[in-house]
Amino acid sequence: MRIKSFVPWLMAVLAVIIVVFLLWEAPIVRSAVGTGMQLAAGSLVPSLFLFAVVAQLLVRTGLLRPFERLTAPVFRLLHLPKASASAFLLGAAGGYPLGAETVAALHSAGQLSRSEAEEALGFTNNCGIAYVVSVVAPKLGLTTAETLAFYAIHLLSALAAAILLHAFGGTSDTTAPATADRGKPEPFSAALAASVRSAALSMLLLTGFVCVFAVFTALLRQIPISFPAYVGGILELSGGIAALTAGEHTTAAFLIGFGGFCVVCQAAAAASPHKLRLHRYLIGKLLQGVFSAIAVKILF
């Protein structure tokens, strides 16, 4: 009991130490937050916002259902939830964290059960093709053919991780949320307003997480120890990729496969309102990173 009584005091002291440290390093913190906001406003939000609106709109209006029926045989063959096909496609098109946002929307609409949604989180939240083409490929010096192969490995590794996860931890729970309008499409006007609102809130969260992890990375650089480039990438993907040099294909493959803890927090922000657990997400992304790195090491 005595130990437990000291825990709140220890946490309070730790909080004070952190605040004092941040105030002491205020110039670095301010610069890092500015860098994070520039990254979010100049690159991430412009490339993700419209995709987020469209993804929400497609889910809310039920326009994805024909595509789900078309891809159902493939996903059934892989023993994956058929409704997750749309989240996989939109996640690949729009990039992090659109896959997780779409899974949450599908669960809210009654098209994925809780267990299916938690399973889908593990393989649908992927790096976007635009980011690989515009950022990763020039950094690594990849040709067009190599870029396509690199991205194909990224997506195939996600599916391989999903199959492995399902084989060892999948469940047969297919009970969808018990709502009055379960799976019922919304009117277009209401769906559009809700989609824009949801996407805007997601972009605010994205900006906040990017700024927080930009501060973490900047403070980490103040430690007089030489860290490998991938350490920063494990925290925040964009900074880690920027620190790589041409030819570090294996490290880049792992980083974009895992996505970094900044992306984990973004996925958690999408999943937590629906009480979706992230244990399969974390295992799936780690497996995807490892599979991607191994495949790239062999083929490149």
Side-chain angles (χ1 to χ4, degrees), residues 10 21 28 37 40 55 109 119 128 137 148 154 161 167 183 207 220 223 249 256:
L10 291 174
F21 178 71
I28 294 175
M37 293 187 72
E119 184 176 358
L148 293 177
H154 176 68
T207 301
L220 186 64
I223 301 175
H249 303 77
I256 71 167

Side-chain angles (χ1 to χ4, degrees), residues 111-154:
Q111 298 179 44
L112 284 174
S113 71
R114 184 179 306 280
S115 177
E116 289 174 335
E118 290 174 354
E119 184 176 358
L121 284 173
F123 67 93
T124 57
N125 199 38
N126 293 304
C127 187
I129 180 63
Y131 183 81
V132 173
V133 170
S134 62
V135 177
V136 179
K139 191 68 178 178
L140 299 180
L142 299 178
T143 65
T144 301
E146 289 173 337
T147 301
L148 293 177
F150 190 89
Y151 192 65
I153 289 172
H154 176 68

Side-chain angles (χ1 to χ4, degrees), residues 79-283:
H79 301 288
L80 301 176
K82 63 178 184 179
S84 62
S86 54
F88 183 79
L89 177 67
L90 291 171
Y96 298 121
L98 189 55
E101 293 278 355
T102 307
V103 168
L106 288 167
H107 173 64
S108 179
Q111 298 179 44
L112 284 174
S113 71
R114 184 179 306 280
S115 177
E116 289 174 335
E118 290 174 354
E119 184 176 358
L121 284 173
F123 67 93
T124 57
N125 199 38
N126 293 304
C127 187
I129 180 63
Y131 183 81
V132 173
V133 170
S134 62
V135 177
V136 179
K139 191 68 178 178
L140 299 180
L142 299 178
T143 65
T144 301
E146 289 173 337
T147 301
L148 293 177
F150 190 89
Y151 192 65
I153 289 172
H154 176 68
L155 295 183
L156 291 174
S157 296
L159 291 176
I163 295 170
L164 189 62
L165 270 178
H166 182 84
F168 288 96
T171 68
S172 57
D173 171 29
T174 56
T175 304
T179 57
D181 57 343
R182 174 178 167 183
K184 182 180 179 181
E186 298 179 16
F188 181 83
S189 57
L192 178 61
S195 299
V196 172
R197 180 172 61 251
S198 177
L201 290 174
S202 296
M203 294 303 103
L204 285 174
L205 282 172
L206 170 64
T207 301
F209 283 126
V210 168
C211 290
V212 168
F213 279 89
V215 172
F216 287 164
T217 304
L219 294 176
L220 186 64
R221 294 196 186 104
Q222 303 307 307
I223 301 175
I225 300 175
S226 180
F227 290 100
Y230 62 80
V231 173
I234 290 174
L235 288 175
E236 200 279 316
L237 176 63
S238 297
I241 294 297
L244 296 179
T245 58
E248 293 187 274
H249 303 77
T250 304
T251 302
F254 175 81
L255 290 179
I256 71 167
F258 175 60
F261 282 104
C262 183
V263 172
V264 172
C265 290
Q266 295 167 33
S272 60
H274 307 280
K275 299 182 179 179
L276 300 175
R277 297 169 298 177
L278 289 183
H279 61 291
R280 295 189 198 179
Y281 175 83
L282 290 170
I283 297 172

Side-chain angles (χ1 to χ4, degrees), residues 5-62:
S5 65
F6 278 108
V7 171
W9 289 100
L10 291 174
M11 296 300 295
V13 170
L14 180 61
V16 170
I17 292 174
I18 292 174
V19 170
V20 171
F21 178 71
L22 292 176
L23 290 174
W24 183 266
E25 300 289 352
I28 294 175
V29 172
R30 184 169 58 251
S31 176
V33 171
T35 300
M37 293 187 72
Q38 288 177 359
L39 174 63
S43 176
L44 299 178
V45 173
S47 63
L48 287 176
F49 178 69
L50 188 59
F51 278 109
V53 172
V54 171
Q56 287 275 345
L57 190 61
L58 290 174
V59 171
R60 291 175 181 275
T61 56

